[in-house]
Structures are given as structure tokens and as C-alpha cells.
Amino acid sequence: MTVIKDRRMDILQAALHIFSKKGYHNAKIEDIAMEAGIAKGTIYQYFSSKQDLFQQMFRHGVERYGQSLQEIATNESHIRDKLLALAQSHGKFLEEHIGMSEIMPKESKLMSKEMRCWVLEQRDHAFSSLEEMIEQGIALGEVREDTDKGVAVLAIIGSLFAYYEKESRNKEMKFEEISPMPWVDFILRALQ
Amino acid sequence: MTVIKDRRMDILQAALHIFSKKGYHNAKIEDIAMEAGIAKGTIYQYFSSKQDLFQQMFRHGVERYGQSLQEIATNESHIRDKLLALAQSHGKFLEEHIGMSEIMPKESKLMSKEMRCWVLEQRDHAFSSLEEMIEQGIALGEVREDTDKGVAVLAIIGSLFAYYEKESRNKEMKFEEISPMPWVDFILRALQ
Amino acid sequence: MTVIKDRRMDILQAALHIFSKKGYHNAKIEDIAMEAGIAKGTIYQYFSSKQDLFQQMFRHGVERYGQSLQEIATNESHIRDKLLALAQSHGKFLEEHIGMSEIMPKESKLMSKEMRCWVLEQRDHAFSSLEEMIEQGIALGEVREDTDKGVAVLAIIGSLFAYYEKESRNKEMKFEEISPMPWVDFILRALQ
Amino acid sequence: MTVIKDRRMDILQAALHIFSKKGYHNAKIEDIAMEAGIAKGTIYQYFSSKQDLFQQMFRHGVERYGQSLQEIATNESHIRDKLLALAQSHGKFLEEHIGMSEIMPKESKLMSKEMRCWVLEQRDHAFSSLEEMIEQGIALGEVREDTDKGVAVLAIIGSLFAYYEKESRNKEMKFEEISPMPWVDFILRALQ
DNA sequence: AATGAATGAGAATTCATTCAT
DNA sequence: TATGAATGAATTCTCATTCAT
């Protein structure tokens, strides 16, 4: 069985790595090519421009994050387990996409209007999943009925990011090693 | 009475505006000069480089944010009022510094090591103030004793950012017009 | 048979020409690129900066001059023939490197400390070769025994430059056409 | 008696100092102003441009050198004393105008055509004086009759510059402290 | 006359993109 | 299809010069 190398995927991976490490403007096409083990020109066989590469990479990452989040939010387990899984998944994602959360730029050039729309849609999807999670929690009697779902979701996401960011900076540990329990406990207190 | 124009301040303001709108790399020195109503070269009379300008602007913003946060966190009022004030101050700050939260880049070139340290210090100051706020709340019986202060602070900050970001994007309103009440209520539920 | 173009050499040649004609600061990178028949950016594929280009060009020229001088000074011929060869070689060199003698600048920025050292070393090498030439002349009875070798060498070099400079300016002839005989005769009188 | 400060002279002095130290292009007008103890703008009250300042400074230096040389060359003393005086005067001049010999650039922008002509004229004057010196030496029987005056003059000047340059670089002494005797002896051997 | 803040033309350098091999 | 040398638009920064005070 031959290993079929998917050049496109190699490049996407390399782009993720380099963009995350250096940010869009400091990442050189050549860096990415080198990381992918190919020549500069080859990238243009698969992507029409640096911007295109960035957008496709971004889209790829967002999709995967959204999927994983949806799966967790809509499975059958208890709210506590879901929050736990959410946090773990977030940590794992950060491990791979380290720095990605910091490169989403406002620059209109980087994000076409459609792309921006798509990102917001994806976010809304994700938020819907999480709101559904809250609803299920309410249905199961695990979450207080008077919970403002919208705010709860924002607080969950916002504090999750802040928590991982702070923890990873203070203790020099990998994202996956960070214990999500304190965060889960805190959130649960607001929900229950 | 002559109006004394403080060129340096003008430039700092213009820089804040342009950097926020376009991001560091897409903001041209000439844009900033134009916004400040001066010529390109004049900027270099007050700042040694684009990077220097960025850092001074950034420092200026961070300092002001930190001060306002500290004042609120350590005054005499109840926890609810403090959270409210915090949110309002945040909204007001975002109004002026629109987009600033999105331009803090990972790029090591933009942030000298000392600068980075200083920023983290400032953050720690801010976090300390907020932890103190929680403690006072506990002392006053307004906050549950078993609250994990560190996590609480992270959740407060993280969810505050997320809340304002989402609200402002959905409803097209100014930051100052966003009602902080839903957020305050949610956070209080976790604390009480 | 394809003509293999050595871009690096082309650029070095062009740089020599332009720097010689205009001096370091008035020589624009674009001028040099144009002279070399390439685009501005291409120069930076071969040299890291204008300064780097200057230094490499300079080093190249100095090396060649030093080699030719050493060969002449240490061969087997009589002192008169050596002086003659020296002058001819100098003329030929000036023809190619026209103006080079006038661009060696004091500016510390143009010459790194190591480069400066290297240049002085090269000079010392050259002077040693010439002193040896004088010694051989003494050994052969062609030069007076009481000759101060150090001063003689300086006088030879200094007057050689002055001679060619003056002659070329007065009579509008090429360097190679200038007769070195009057100079040789004068120097010999000091040596014999 | 009040000391009448001649601003123009102050500036000329400062310019000489700074241009000599840094070369034309690296000398900033502000540097010169600072050295002269005045403000940048003031220079433009006395000189129409940087170039004008350079030329006037240059002219001033060349004139003084030429005068001193002429005086020495045409006085009544013996050839040996004249050469000695020449060397001493040269050393003294270098002391004041340190580096000046290295800033005369080819750049056509720095030297107007008339200026260039004038410089060459001055040189011819100087050379005439020196040729006259040789002639007097011949008349007095101190110099061989068959001396090629033109070449002799060139050799005198060329070797004088080389001698001082080398000596000053090797031994770290001031120009005035360098003994001109070895040089005088060598030149005399060629002349006698 | 003296000042020095403001100006803006001009130059070095970078790097995404092209295209001949 | 893959390459990487060549390109040149775009941007930062410098500093001689001006001019209102």
C-alpha cells in the first residue's frame, strides 16, 4: 500500500503551523513551503494566493472545531461531562492550532465578505449547539430554568478561552495537561 | 487663549484609530499621519519607528484600562454595582479603543520582551484587583466562600469580552448602549 | 554551448562601475541593477544589502590588485622591469576599476571592523611584497644598501597613484596608454 | 574689546570638523549646527545649501593649504629645509583637517564644474610652486639637472600623503609628532 | 537674526507572484 | 507537475530645507 501524499493537505498543515506561530504578515510563503517540504512555486499549484491559502486553512480549522463542539454539545451525557469534554477538546485543539486564536485579524483584506459571513455563521451554529446543550440540561433538571441561554453560552466560551490562555501562560504546561476541573466547577455553579 | 495642540497626543489618537481599524501591518504610517492631519515625517519627530508608535499607543491604552478597572474593583460598593461598573467601563473603553482587543499580536517583533513582560504584569495587577474584589464580596457575604477566585476572575474577564463582542456584532449598536445586565446576572449566579 | 551567465559576477561588475562613477551614496541600487541588466530585487538574491554589495565588490578588487602586485614584486626580474610591470599593472587595474581609488570611504558604516582590518592586512601583505622586492634589489646590487625600505615602498606606491592620476587628468588618455617610464626613472634614481 | 564672533567662520570650522569625521553624506546639517553651537536653521542664513557649505569649506581649506605650500616652496632656504617645512606643514594641516583628504568625492553633485575647475587650477598653482622649488634647487646645484620636474613634484606630493597616512595609522601618534626625516632623506636621494 | 517643528521627496528593502525550464 | 530565479509594487524611514514665530 502506497502512502498517497496529499500535497494540498501538507500545505494546509504547514500553513496552519507557520501562520499560528508567526501571524499572517510575518509568515512568508517560503516558510510554509519549506515546512511542507516543497518549493515556493508549488504552493501556487494548489492555492491561488497567500490570502487564499490563509482562508482555506482557516476554514478548515474552524470547521473541525465546530464539528467537535457540536458532537460534544449534542450527545447524551450529563452537562458536567459535556463541559469537561468541551474543555478537553478545546485544549486538544489549541495544542494543534496553537496561536490560531490570535491570528484572526480584522483586516478586511484577509477575510472576504463571504468568508467573514461564513465564519459568523459557523459561530452561530456553534452557539446554537451550545444553547441546545443548555436546554437539554434544563430538560434534565441539571440547569436552572431561568438561565439566560445566550449569555450562558458566551460566558462558557469566553471564560474557556481566558482560562486556557492564563493557565498555559502561568504554568508552563501543554494545553492538554491543563486540568479543566476548576473551570467546570465554576461554570456549573452559574448554571445550577 | 490659544489652543495648545499636543501633537504627540494627536498622533497617539490617530494611531489608535488606524491600528484598530486596519491592524498593525495594514496600517500605513501615512494613513496615521493623514488621520492626525500632519505629514508623514512629523510622526518620526515624536516616535522613532512604526513599532515604537504602536507600543506607546498600546501601553497608553493598557494603562488607562488597568487604572479604570482597579478603581472600580477596589471601591466601596456592592459586588453587583462593581460588576455593573466594570461592564460599563469596558463598553466605554471599547468605544474609544474599538478593535484594540483584536490587534494584540503574537509577533515577537511588535512586542519587545520588556513590553511583553510589562503587559503581563499589568494583567496580573488587574487580576489582583479583581481577586480582591471577590474577597471583599466574600467578606461582605455577597459571594460564596468556596469560590475559586482565580477562576472566577478569568471567567469574569473572558465572558465580559465575549459578551460585548457578540452583542455588538449582532445588534448594531454602540458599545455604550449595550445593556450589561444579562451578563451581570449570569456572573452573579456563579458567585452567589 | 550555452553561455552561462554568472549573475553574481555581473552584479559585482556593475557595482564596481557605478560605485566608481558616482561614489557610494550617489549610486542607487536601481542604477546598479540597470547596469547589470536586471531588476532591483534580483540584487538582493545575491547580496544582503547595499553595504554588503559594496564590501564584496571592494574585497574582490583589493584581492585582485594585491595578487597582481605580489606576483610582480616577487618574480625573478630586475628592479627596473618590476617597477615597469608594477606601473603597467596599476594602469590596467585603474582602467577596469576606474575611480575605485577614490571611493574608499572613512565611514565606519561602510566598512565593518573586520573588513577594515582585512584591508589593512592586505595592505601590509602588499607592502611586504614590495619591501622584499627592494631587498632583492639590494641583494642584486641594483638598489643602494642604505635604502629605508619602508619609506621607499610608501614613496613608490604614493607617487605611482599620484602620477597616474595627474597624467590621466591632464592628457585625456586611457590609463593603459600612459607611459610609466618617467615615473620609473624617477624612482630608480632614489633607489640607486 | 569685544570678541566679535564670526558666525560664518564658526560654521565653516564646524563643517570642516564634521565633514572630515563623517564624510559628506553621513554628516547631518544638524550635527554641524550643534558643533557650531547654533540652530539648524541658522546655517541657512549663511549658506544656501549643504552643498554650498561643503564647497565653501572645501575652498577655504584648499586655499590655505595652497598658500602655505607656496610660501614654503618659494622662500630662500635650501631644498632640504623646504622639504622639511613642507612635511611639517602637511602634518599640521592634516591635524586640523583630519580626514579631509578622504572626503574629496568624485560625485558631480558635490562639485560644480566651476568648483572642480577651480580645484584643478589650485592644484596647478601648487604644482607650479613646487616645480619652481625644484628649479631653484637646480640653480643652486642642490638638485640634479636632469630631473623631470613634473614627475618629481608628483612623487613628492604622492609619497608625502602616503607616508603620513601610513605612519599615522601604524604608530598611534598625532600627525605633528610624526618625524618627516625618513621621507625627506628618501626624496633627496631621488633629487640629488 | 535665530529658531526648530513640519515637510515630503527620495532610497533601501521585502516578498508575493510569475514563468521559463 | 515542480521548481526557484527574477520581478517590481509597495512601504518604512531619513534628512535637507522651509517658514511661522
Side-chain angles (χ1 to χ4, degrees):
Chain A
M1 192 185 96
T2 326
V3 176
I4 297 171
K5 275 209 255 172
D6 188 345
R7 279 263 197 275
R8 195 174 163 279
M9 225 34 173
D10 290 351
I11 297 172
L12 240 24
Q13 279 298 329
L16 176 58
H17 190 208
I18 300 293
F19 280 135
S20 296
K21 195 162 73 188
K22 307 196 175 186
Y24 183 78
H25 289 280
N26 283 106
K28 318 287 166 238
I29 285 288
E30 184 139 36
D31 296 340
I32 295 171
M34 212 173 282
E35 173 88 10
I38 57 174
K40 216 178 354 165
T42 308
I43 286 184
Y44 289 86
Q45 305 272 351
Y46 298 89
F47 302 91
S48 67
S49 68
K50 184 184 184 182
Q51 200 188 120
D52 178 43
L53 171 56
F54 179 81
Q55 290 192 8
Q56 293 203 37
M57 172 219 77
F58 194 82
R59 174 183 286 265
H60 186 243
V62 168
E63 265 168 359
R64 296 220 305 155
Y65 187 75
Q67 277 165 13
S68 121
L69 190 143
Q70 180 165 24
E71 281 164 23
I72 291 168
T74 58
N75 70 13
E76 293 299 306
S77 38
H78 296 294
I79 186 83
R80 163 176 284 274
D81 296 330
K82 285 178 178 176
L83 287 174
L84 206 51
L86 221 52
Q88 283 163 340
S89 159
H90 186 73
K92 199 165 155 229
F93 185 81
L94 285 184
E95 204 72 68
E96 290 173 29
H97 298 60
I98 185 165
M100 174 132 157
S101 63
E102 301 186 36
I103 52 175
M104 160 84 163
K106 175 148 260 178
E107 311 170 31
S108 52
K109 285 172 198 162
L110 279 191
M111 288 278 151
S112 60
K113 195 167 285 178
E114 306 95 58
M115 181 72 180
R116 199 176 293 281
C117 278
W118 179 86
V119 168
L120 292 181
E121 267 174 43
Q122 294 300 107
R123 202 186 56 167
D124 287 344
H125 276 306
F127 278 35
S128 298
S129 303
L130 290 176
E131 289 190 8
E132 215 176 304
M133 175 181 82
I134 305 281
E135 271 170 11
Q136 285 184 11
I138 293 177
L140 291 172
E142 293 176 339
V143 173
R144 281 165 55 175
E145 284 186 15
D146 63 343
T147 302
D148 180 327
K149 282 174 292 182
V151 176
V153 167
L154 287 167
I156 287 170
I157 291 293
S159 59
L160 184 57
F161 272 83
Y163 181 70
Y164 269 86
E165 205 265 328
K166 175 80 185 301
E167 288 295 293
S168 75
R169 239 204 264 267
N170 280 5
K171 313 163 189 171
E172 295 202 351
M173 33 168 70
K174 292 189 177 183
F175 289 113
E176 289 198 68
E177 293 167 4
I178 294 172
S179 162
M181 292 312 297
W183 172 76
V184 171
D185 288 336
F186 184 86
I187 290 296
L188 276 179
R189 279 175 41 181
L191 297 176
Q192 288 170 341
Chain B
M1 194 186 97
T2 327
V3 176
I4 297 173
K5 277 209 256 172
D6 187 344
R7 277 269 191 274
R8 194 172 166 281
M9 231 28 174
D10 290 351
I11 297 171
L12 240 24
Q13 280 298 327
L16 176 58
H17 191 204
I18 300 293
F19 279 135
S20 296
K21 194 161 75 188
K22 308 198 175 187
Y24 182 79
H25 290 282
N26 282 105
K28 309 303 164 213
I29 285 287
E30 189 143 31
D31 297 340
I32 295 172
M34 214 170 280
E35 171 87 11
I38 56 175
K40 216 177 357 158
T42 306
I43 288 184
Y44 290 89
Q45 300 249 350
Y46 297 89
F47 303 92
S48 66
S49 67
K50 186 183 181 183
Q51 201 188 120
D52 178 43
L53 172 56
F54 178 80
Q55 290 194 7
Q56 293 204 35
M57 173 217 76
F58 192 81
R59 174 183 285 264
H60 188 243
V62 168
E63 262 168 1
R64 297 221 304 153
Y65 187 74
Q67 278 165 12
S68 120
L69 190 143
Q70 178 165 26
E71 279 164 24
I72 290 168
T74 57
N75 70 13
E76 293 299 308
S77 37
H78 295 294
I79 186 85
R80 162 177 286 273
D81 296 330
K82 284 178 179 176
L83 287 173
L84 205 52
L86 222 52
Q88 283 162 340
S89 159
H90 186 72
K92 197 163 157 232
F93 185 81
L94 286 183
E95 205 72 69
E96 290 172 29
H97 297 61
I98 186 165
M100 174 134 158
S101 62
E102 301 186 35
I103 52 174
M104 160 83 161
K106 177 148 256 174
E107 309 172 32
S108 51
K109 285 169 198 163
L110 281 190
M111 288 277 149
S112 62
K113 195 168 284 179
E114 304 96 57
M115 182 71 179
R116 200 175 291 280
C117 276
W118 179 86
V119 168
L120 293 180
E121 266 175 44
Q122 295 299 108
R123 202 187 57 166
D124 287 344
H125 277 306
F127 279 35
S128 299
S129 302
L130 290 176
E131 289 190 9
E132 212 175 310
M133 177 181 80
I134 306 281
E135 270 170 10
Q136 284 184 11
I138 294 177
L140 291 173
E142 294 176 338
V143 174
R144 279 165 55 175
E145 282 188 14
D146 63 343
T147 303
D148 180 326
K149 281 174 294 181
V151 176
V153 166
L154 286 167
I156 288 170
I157 290 293
S159 59
L160 183 57
F161 272 84
Y163 180 70
Y164 268 86
E165 206 264 328
K166 175 79 184 304
E167 289 294 295
S168 74
R169 243 204 260 265
N170 281 5
K171 315 163 188 171
E172 294 202 350
M173 36 168 64
K174 291 190 178 183
F175 289 112
E176 290 196 68
E177 293 165 6
I178 294 171
S179 161
M181 291 314 297
W183 172 76
V184 171
D185 287 335
F186 183 86
I187 290 296
L188 275 180
R189 279 175 40 183
L191 297 176
Q192 287 172 342
Chain C
M1 194 187 97
T2 327
V3 176
I4 298 172
K5 277 208 255 173
D6 186 345
R7 278 270 191 273
R8 193 171 167 281
M9 231 28 173
D10 289 351
I11 297 171
L12 240 24
Q13 280 298 327
L16 176 59
H17 191 205
I18 300 294
F19 280 136
S20 296
K21 194 161 75 187
K22 306 196 174 187
Y24 182 79
H25 290 281
N26 282 105
K28 310 304 164 211
I29 285 287
E30 189 143 32
D31 297 339
I32 294 171
M34 212 171 282
E35 171 87 11
I38 57 174
K40 220 176 354 159
T42 306
I43 289 184
Y44 289 88
Q45 301 248 354
Y46 297 89
F47 302 92
S48 66
S49 67
K50 185 182 181 183
Q51 200 187 122
D52 178 44
L53 172 56
F54 178 80
Q55 289 194 9
Q56 293 203 36
M57 173 217 76
F58 193 81
R59 174 183 286 264
H60 187 243
V62 168
E63 262 168 0
R64 296 222 303 153
Y65 187 75
Q67 277 165 12
S68 118
L69 189 143
Q70 179 166 25
E71 280 164 24
I72 290 168
T74 58
N75 70 13
E76 293 299 306
S77 38
H78 295 294
I79 186 84
R80 162 177 285 273
D81 296 330
K82 285 179 177 174
L83 287 173
L84 205 53
L86 222 52
Q88 282 162 341
S89 158
H90 186 73
K92 198 164 156 230
F93 185 81
L94 286 183
E95 204 72 67
E96 290 173 29
H97 297 62
I98 186 166
M100 173 132 158
S101 62
E102 300 185 35
I103 52 175
M104 159 85 162
K106 175 150 260 174
E107 309 171 33
S108 52
K109 285 170 198 162
L110 282 191
M111 289 276 150
S112 61
K113 195 167 285 180
E114 305 97 55
M115 181 72 180
R116 200 176 291 281
C117 276
W118 179 85
V119 169
L120 293 182
E121 266 175 42
Q122 294 299 106
R123 201 186 57 167
D124 286 344
H125 277 306
F127 279 35
S128 297
S129 302
L130 290 176
E131 290 191 8
E132 212 176 308
M133 176 182 82
I134 306 279
E135 270 170 9
Q136 285 184 10
I138 294 177
L140 291 173
E142 294 176 340
V143 174
R144 281 165 55 175
E145 284 186 14
D146 63 341
T147 302
D148 179 327
K149 282 173 293 181
V151 176
V153 166
L154 287 166
I156 287 169
I157 290 292
S159 59
L160 183 58
F161 272 84
Y163 180 71
Y164 268 86
E165 206 265 327
K166 175 80 184 304
E167 288 294 294
S168 75
R169 242 204 260 268
N170 280 5
K171 314 163 189 171
E172 295 201 350
M173 35 168 67
K174 292 191 177 182
F175 289 113
E176 291 198 66
E177 293 166 6
I178 293 170
S179 161
M181 292 312 298
W183 172 76
V184 172
D185 287 336
F186 184 85
I187 290 297
L188 276 180
R189 280 174 42 181
L191 296 176
Q192 289 171 340
Chain D
M1 192 186 96
T2 326
V3 175
I4 297 171
K5 275 210 257 172
D6 187 344
R7 280 264 196 276
R8 194 174 164 280
M9 226 34 173
D10 289 351
I11 297 172
L12 240 25
Q13 279 298 328
L16 175 59
H17 190 205
I18 300 294
F19 279 135
S20 297
K21 196 161 72 187
K22 307 196 175 187
Y24 182 78
H25 289 280
N26 283 105
K28 319 284 166 240
I29 284 288
E30 184 139 36
D31 296 339
I32 295 171
M34 211 172 283
E35 172 89 9
I38 58 175
K40 214 174 3 161
T42 308
I43 287 184
Y44 289 85
Q45 306 272 352
Y46 297 89
F47 302 90
S48 67
S49 68
K50 185 183 183 183
Q51 199 188 123
D52 178 42
L53 172 56
F54 179 81
Q55 290 193 8
Q56 293 204 36
M57 172 219 77
F58 194 81
R59 174 184 286 264
H60 186 243
V62 168
E63 266 168 358
R64 296 222 303 155
Y65 187 75
Q67 277 165 13
S68 122
L69 190 143
Q70 179 165 27
E71 279 164 24
I72 290 167
T74 58
N75 71 12
E76 294 298 309
S77 37
H78 295 296
I79 186 82
R80 161 176 285 274
D81 297 329
K82 285 177 177 175
L83 287 174
L84 205 53
L86 221 52
Q88 282 162 340
S89 159
H90 186 72
K92 198 165 156 227
F93 185 80
L94 286 183
E95 205 72 69
E96 290 172 29
H97 298 61
I98 186 166
M100 174 133 157
S101 63
E102 300 186 36
I103 52 174
M104 159 84 161
K106 177 147 258 177
E107 312 171 31
S108 52
K109 285 171 196 162
L110 280 190
M111 289 276 151
S112 60
K113 195 167 286 180
E114 307 94 57
M115 181 71 180
R116 200 175 292 280
C117 278
W118 179 85
V119 168
L120 292 180
E121 267 174 43
Q122 295 299 108
R123 201 186 57 166
D124 287 343
H125 276 308
F127 278 35
S128 298
S129 302
L130 290 176
E131 289 191 10
E132 214 175 306
M133 176 181 81
I134 305 281
E135 270 170 9
Q136 285 184 10
I138 293 177
L140 291 174
E142 294 176 338
V143 174
R144 279 164 57 172
E145 283 187 16
D146 62 344
T147 303
D148 180 327
K149 279 173 293 181
V151 177
V153 167
L154 287 167
I156 288 170
I157 291 293
S159 59
L160 183 57
F161 272 83
Y163 180 70
Y164 268 87
E165 207 265 328
K166 174 81 185 301
E167 289 293 295
S168 74
R169 239 202 264 267
N170 280 4
K171 312 162 189 172
E172 295 201 351
M173 34 168 67
K174 293 189 176 182
F175 289 112
E176 290 197 68
E177 293 166 5
I178 294 171
S179 161
M181 291 312 298
W183 173 77
V184 171
D185 288 336
F186 183 85
I187 290 297
L188 276 180
R189 279 175 39 182
L191 297 176
Q192 289 172 341

